[in-house]
Amino acid sequence: EIVLTQSPDILSLSPGQSATLSCRASQSVTSTYLNWYQHKPGQAPRLLIYGASNRATGIPDSFSGSGSGTDFTLTISRLEPADFAVYYCQQYGNSPTFGQGTKVVIK
Amino acid sequence: QVQLQESGPGLVKPSHTLSLTCTVSGGSFNSGGYYWTWIRQRPGRGPEWIGYIYNNGSTYYNPSLQSRVAITIDTTANHFSLKLSSVTAADTAVYFCARWVLVVPAAISWFDPWGQGTLVTVSS
């Protein structure tokens, strides 16, 4: 099973700042199988980025993904109030696994 | 637009069976090509994939849970269901259903959309 480790656990930032979230895999991941999700309390998790760098339908261009191999990054430029949430990376090797999440909180 | 909604008891006694249903609305349930999936999130942890069922009834489960899990589907009623037997407090979690897009030849895979989740507590 591929283990995904996200860092940091909590990111404290102000609206308008940029956020950089990291996802590191225990072994190499096919980048087309690396996704990012946003989750707010009481809501359905939302697909943000698929295939490491492709924005899902309706996702603003303030969200971008990059990376390959074992290191992947989600960048949120110009944080909006609606962007404060928990973010998860997820991969599909022979079985899907998720990271433990990074919580982006208002400073 | 496809929407998923979980339903079922919020409290289950230890050693009993947890049963949840996911109702799919907005189309595509019978069209094939999707894997209907259960995911859970235990307190303080990231999400954990439980298993999937395809429209033809084929299933695949997380090896860590497969001895206790059964997922079934009713395409005429537009829903699929989860049963998890012999539950303990460690099975307390928010349970989500989701549609899994998986196209191995194209090497693409993602979960979208998800239901909003339902909290199941295992306690006597």
Side-chain angles (χ1 to χ4, degrees):
Chain A
E1 175 181 287
I2 295 177
V3 176
L4 298 178
T5 302
Q6 294 183 240
S7 61
D9 288 333
I10 299 175
L11 195 52
S12 180
L13 293 167
S14 300
Q17 288 189 294
S18 293
T20 301
L21 287 66
S22 174
C23 176
R24 177 162 290 179
S26 60
Q27 57 188 279
S28 186
V29 171
T30 302
S31 60
T32 55
Y33 283 149
L34 193 288
N35 308 312
W36 291 91
Y37 301 86
Q38 178 192 67
H39 189 204
K40 298 178 183 179
Q43 296 187 17
R46 180 169 73 147
L47 175 68
L48 291 178
I49 300 288
Y50 65 91
S53 61
N54 303 288
R55 279 186 297 276
T57 302
I59 302 303
D61 60 8
S62 57
F63 290 90
S64 62
S66 63
S68 63
T70 60
D71 291 296
F72 297 88
T73 300
L74 174 69
T75 301
I76 313 170
S77 62
R78 307 179 310 275
L79 280 163
E80 301 278 348
D83 299 335
F84 292 90
V86 182
Y87 294 85
Y88 297 99
C89 57
Q90 174 257 320
Q91 67 81 35
Y92 172 64
N94 53 9
S95 185
T97 58
F98 293 83
Q100 84 283 8
T102 290
K103 187 174 186 179
V104 180
V105 299
I106 299 177
K107 190 173 185 178
Chain B
Q1 182 174 340
V2 175
Q3 293 184 308
L4 289 77
Q5 179 67 58
E6 305 87 351
S7 60
L11 181 64
V12 180
K13 295 185 186 307
S15 79
H16 287 215
T17 296
L18 177 160
S19 296
L20 296 173
T21 294
C22 180
T23 301
V24 181
S25 60
S28 86
F29 193 68
N30 293 318
S31 63
Y34 300 110
Y35 297 79
W36 302 98
T37 299
W38 286 98
I39 295 164
R40 71 179 183 180
Q41 185 165 23
R42 291 183 279 178
R45 300 190 184 199
E48 176 185 26
W49 175 75
I50 298 172
Y52 74 68
I53 189 164
Y54 195 64
N55 288 53
N56 63 3
S58 63
T59 56
Y60 185 68
Y61 303 131
N62 187 322
S64 68
L65 296 168
Q66 69 177 41
S67 65
R68 299 193 291 129
V69 173
I71 299 176
T72 57
I73 193 168
D74 185 339
T75 54
T76 60
N78 274 23
H79 70 231
F80 61 106
S81 299
L82 169 70
K83 289 189 185 297
L84 181 65
S85 62
S86 304
V87 297
T88 69
D91 295 308
T92 293
V94 176
Y95 286 78
F96 298 94
C97 56
R99 185 179 66 177
W100 187 14
V101 173
L102 173 61
V103 184
V104 174
I108 59 174
S109 165
W110 58 76
F111 297 105
D112 180 65
W114 299 54
Q116 66 182 30
T118 186
L119 174 62
V120 178
T121 302
V122 178
S123 175
S124 55

